[in-house]
Amino acid sequence: VAERLPINVPGRYYVDGTCIDCGLCPQLAPGLFARDDAGATSYVARQPETEEEEAMAREALESCPTETIGND
């Protein structure tokens, strides 16, 4: 939580400063996660609103190779 990136939208899911910008989370959950080319990182662009989106966000969290995605 301490390394939570300020570019994330407010809410439960977030990306922290350990992101290596592999691009996996925007690929698994497009619209929820996006890439910030200027910052060379991914971030949460929108929090999930439906069960399907929640499942996509959870898959991204569980698949992240650096365990960068949090859901507090």
Side-chain angles (χ1 to χ4, degrees):
V1 175
E3 291 190 47
R4 184 181 188 137
L5 297 173
I7 194 170
N8 293 294
V9 296
R12 191 169 63 132
Y13 284 93
Y14 62 91
V15 174
D16 70 27
T18 62
C19 179
I20 60 171
D21 196 27
C22 70
L24 184 61
C25 58
Q27 181 181 5
L28 293 174
L32 299 179
F33 293 88
R35 294 178 77 188
D36 176 27
D37 293 330
T41 189
S42 292
Y43 64 96
V44 177
R46 186 172 60 78
Q47 295 291 329
E49 296 175 0
T50 66
E51 287 183 30
E52 181 182 345
E53 289 178 343
E54 181 68 33
M56 290 174 17
R58 205 171 25 255
E59 181 181 4
L61 180 147
E62 292 169 358
S63 300
C64 180
T66 56
E67 299 180 352
T68 294
I69 301 169
N71 70 339
D72 297 336

